[in-house]
Amino acid sequence: MNKLLIALFTLISWNCKSQTVEKFNFGFENQKAGNSLPDGWFKWGTYDLTIEETAHSGHKAGKITSDSTTNSFGSIAYKIPANYEGKTIRLEGYMKIKNVENGVAGLLLRVDGNGAPLVFDNMQSQKISGTRDWQKYTINLEYPRDAEQIYIAGILSGKGEAWFDDFTLYIDGKDVQTLKEVKKQFSKARLDNEFDKGSQIKIVDLTPKKIENLELLGRVWGFIKYHHPEIAKGNYNWDYELFRLLPKYLEVANSRQRDQLIIDWINALGEVKPCSTCSETDKNAVLRPDLKWIDTQEAALKSKLLFVYNNRSQGNHYYIKPGMVGNPEFTNERPYLNMPYPDDGFRLLTLYRYWNMIYYFFPYKHLMDEDWNKKLKVYIPVFLNAKDELAYEMAAVQIIGDIQDTHANLWAGANKIDEWKGANYPPVHLRFIEQQLAVTDYYQNDLKSLVGLKIGNVITKINGRPVKEIVKEKSKFYPASNEPTRLRDISADLLRSDSDHIEIEFVSGNARPQIKNLKLYPKGNLDVYRWYRKNKGRSFKMLDNNIGYITLQNINKKISPK
């Protein structure tokens, strides 16, 4: 090939490449004049975001900067519709970091559906910190069938600087920039958005009769949700059907009118056809539905509910499916993340949802100290009378605690409870030992000489109040399977405060009680851990009388030579 043809071929190839249009601005290059961030990118978190020419390729890269010592983060993010089909999703991107400490940096990939995250990874477990030049990183996740939105991002927590560039997103190994979008088919329940901004329900004059009616409605709502074939198919958004019924239901004049309204409501869902193949619940089943409450209803309502049960859905279900090791997996439950303090209707919905989940699927109701059957009626006024976001969060964590399971808690969305506990922490680690609040360690070794407390000191009063009195008051807001676990969790928070000092009374040995004004610190200034400080010593030692002691806490695979 002569030089002229080679040059012409090169020019044509370059022109074809330069005219390739990318759908998404994953490389930060396109930025409209006047915009602080490139097209499509937006800010998550609190840290500063800038665009710099210190790029991996091209001319621009996204940068996150933080001098924060608090427990916060910053993220530069991009969202695209999940209009693609596949089984796997992979994010690749380049990152450079400088002086990252007290936190980590990484890529972020999150896929949402029905208003909630379905899969998520931010590389936190890889603990990337310090200073590193440009490197390529990868996140691999399963691609959910019900995906609606895909978020890609760079993220930084703690202190330092992080640059991000050249993101590439793959579905089943194919670059989304080259994929054709597909129109997904969603259920009728998913497409119902009438009450996305609020239920507009206001419940006043909460009389005993109204509470009794709302208790019955909560039972019927949960029963129909998990048994009616049309709900199982996803033909109704069952949250919003509650809001459609409530205005009329709150106005019923008597029990007969109430029951007829419920029957009409069920009939309007569609015909429940007799099921000739439906199997009865095994008499030896450990977890059987408790339907005694149906037997106490008047004849017409009882007959309607039992007919639904005897011809109930027994196949795939929109709201629930078998999960790992047989545990139920609750699906398509919208989290309503934009409602930190929801209106009356949504607060009632919260209670109905949780109470019925436990009623039908929690296997240890028989081990609870109190009868779960009675809890719905008890908590209706608690939820409806919650006057603000904190009271609502406390109502939620209190009913969660009633099932007495340490693994059940408000793992997210409890920001007001966290504020209630206090922003500043003591410099010492505390544990209850023989029912006494004792100092067991220091969060920072360099603070030992300043603290004025020794390991073994017992704190008896906080701001003039006996520790036992405070624990009794706060216990209901600390879900736990047993009292030692509850005390363990409370001990980490008892000295928290929004003030930078707290007054304590403590005793050392047999000495008289002493009063101390203890200095508190922001969490980011302390090496705070909740349960224990990991022992970095050997995994075995010899005790008295030639007894060998082995602990699995820090055992490793390394085998010492003989």
Side-chain angles (χ1 to χ4, degrees), residues 23-77:
K23 294 185 290 185
F24 308 117
N25 184 28
F26 290 166
F28 300 94
E29 296 302 312
N30 300 322
Q31 184 175 6
K32 290 185 175 67
N35 290 352
S36 60
L37 295 178
D39 300 349
W41 292 92
F42 60 94
K43 180 178 181 178
W44 267 345
T46 60
Y47 294 171
D48 292 334
L49 303 185
T50 55
I51 301 301
E52 294 198 354
E53 295 184 1
T54 307
H56 173 260
S57 71
H59 301 286
K60 298 178 181 179
K63 181 186 178 184
I64 307 174
T65 305
S66 168
D67 58 1
S68 175
T69 57
T70 62
N71 186 25
S72 190
F73 77 98
S75 182
I76 184 167

Side-chain angles (χ1 to χ4, degrees), residues 145-328:
R145 183 183 61 182
D146 297 328
E148 294 182 13
Q149 303 289 343
I150 301 172
Y151 295 87
I152 70 171
I155 187 168
L156 171 68
S157 64
K159 187 176 181 180
E161 298 173 288
W163 292 259
F164 301 89
D165 199 6
D166 291 336
F167 286 91
T168 310
L169 186 67
Y170 300 90
I171 305 289
D172 285 351
K174 298 178 181 178
D175 189 339
V176 294
Q177 302 277 18
T178 67
L179 293 178
K180 291 184 178 179
E181 297 188 10
V182 297
K183 186 176 181 180
K184 290 189 173 182
Q185 297 295 323
F186 294 109
S187 65
K188 294 178 181 178
R190 181 73 65 87
L191 298 175
D192 183 354
N193 300 309
E194 181 176 350
F195 299 99
D196 284 359
K197 295 183 179 180
S199 72
Q200 309 303 318
I201 302 295
K202 184 67 177 177
I203 302 176
V204 296
D205 300 325
L206 205 56
T207 63
K209 182 59 179 178
K210 188 169 287 186
I211 292 173
E212 180 183 312
N213 287 346
L214 289 173
E215 179 192 15
L216 175 61
L217 178 60
R219 289 179 180 273
V220 172
W221 181 86
F223 172 81
I224 296 298
K225 176 178 182 177
Y226 292 122
H227 295 92
H228 199 289
E230 292 302 309
I231 311 303
K233 295 174 186 175
N235 286 338
Y236 292 91
N237 180 331
W238 201 231
D239 293 354
Y240 291 178
E241 292 302 322
L242 173 66
F243 301 149
R244 294 185 175 104
L245 176 72
L246 268 171
K248 293 181 180 178
Y249 189 83
L250 291 169
E251 299 300 322
V252 294
N254 51 57
S255 298
R256 182 188 59 79
Q257 192 180 87
R258 175 200 66 191
D259 289 2
Q260 188 58 52
L261 183 60
I262 292 175
I263 292 171
D264 293 343
W265 185 45
I266 297 172
N267 287 337
L269 298 175
E271 181 185 3
V272 178
K273 297 180 180 179
C275 180
S276 59
T277 60
C278 292
S279 57
E280 294 184 6
T281 304
D282 192 315
K283 294 181 179 180
N284 297 318
V286 176
L287 185 63
R288 295 173 59 85
D290 182 0
L291 303 179
K292 296 186 184 69
W293 64 274
I294 294 180
D295 292 332
T296 65
Q297 306 307 313
E298 294 297 327
L301 180 56
K302 175 181 175 180
S303 176
K304 172 59 66 175
L305 294 174
L306 289 179
F307 182 81
V308 172
Y309 179 73
N310 292 328
N311 300 282
R312 63 194 179 278
S313 169
Q314 296 191 13
N316 295 331
H317 199 290
Y318 182 73
Y319 285 109
I320 191 165
K321 66 181 181 180
M324 294 179 62
V325 299
N327 291 331

Side-chain angles (χ1 to χ4, degrees), residues 85 104 206 262 329 409 472:
E85 294 180 344
V104 295
L206 205 56
I262 292 175
E329 181 179 333
N409 210 321
K472 184 178 180 181

Side-chain angles (χ1 to χ4, degrees), residues 320-498:
I320 191 165
K321 66 181 181 180
M324 294 179 62
V325 299
N327 291 331
E329 181 179 333
F330 299 100
T331 57
N332 294 305
E333 296 286 6
R334 296 187 184 182
Y336 306 111
L337 297 174
N338 62 335
M339 297 182 185
Y341 175 59
D343 59 33
D344 291 5
F346 273 97
R347 295 205 301 278
L348 190 66
L349 171 65
T350 299
L351 175 60
Y352 283 1
R353 267 194 190 181
Y354 187 73
W355 186 87
N356 281 286
M357 286 174 174
I358 299 300
Y359 190 76
Y360 288 106
F361 300 104
F362 189 60
Y364 303 117
K365 292 195 299 293
H366 63 290
L367 297 179
M368 296 180 192
D369 291 341
E370 300 179 54
D371 186 357
W372 188 253
N373 256 301
K374 300 177 181 179
K375 293 295 181 179
L376 182 56
K377 188 173 184 179
V378 168
Y379 275 99
I380 286 172
V382 176
F383 273 79
L384 291 180
N385 292 331
K387 66 181 185 302
D388 53 29
E389 187 178 347
L390 175 61
Y392 171 61
E393 289 180 10
M394 284 182 157
V397 78
Q398 187 175 345
I399 191 173
I400 290 171
D402 284 347
I403 73 170
Q404 297 174 269
D405 187 339
T406 305
H407 300 93
N409 210 321
L410 281 179
W411 301 116
N415 57 305
K416 291 300 179 182
I417 287 181
D418 196 55
E419 292 175 9
W420 167 72
K421 292 175 179 178
N424 296 322
Y425 289 70
V428 291
H429 184 259
L430 306 170
R431 290 293 293 269
F432 277 94
I433 299 174
E434 296 182 352
Q435 304 301 310
Q436 294 183 309
L437 185 62
V439 177
T440 59
D441 205 346
Y442 303 94
Y443 285 138
Q444 301 284 134
N445 288 328
D446 57 358
L447 294 177
K448 282 184 180 181
S449 60
L450 303 177
V451 171
L453 293 172
K454 297 179 179 179
I455 293 176
N457 286 168
V458 173
I459 297 174
T460 54
K461 290 184 180 180
I462 302 171
N463 287 334
R465 296 183 62 195
V467 168
K468 290 183 179 180
E469 180 182 303
I470 300 172
V471 169
K472 184 178 180 181
E473 176 186 285
K474 294 188 173 185
S475 284
K476 61 184 177 181
F477 303 117
Y478 285 82
S481 304
N482 50 62
E483 194 59 21
T485 303
R486 192 188 319 278
L487 291 175
R488 176 201 68 194
D489 292 347
I490 292 176
S491 66
D493 295 332
L494 281 175
L495 296 188
R496 287 176 61 177
S497 173
D498 285 331

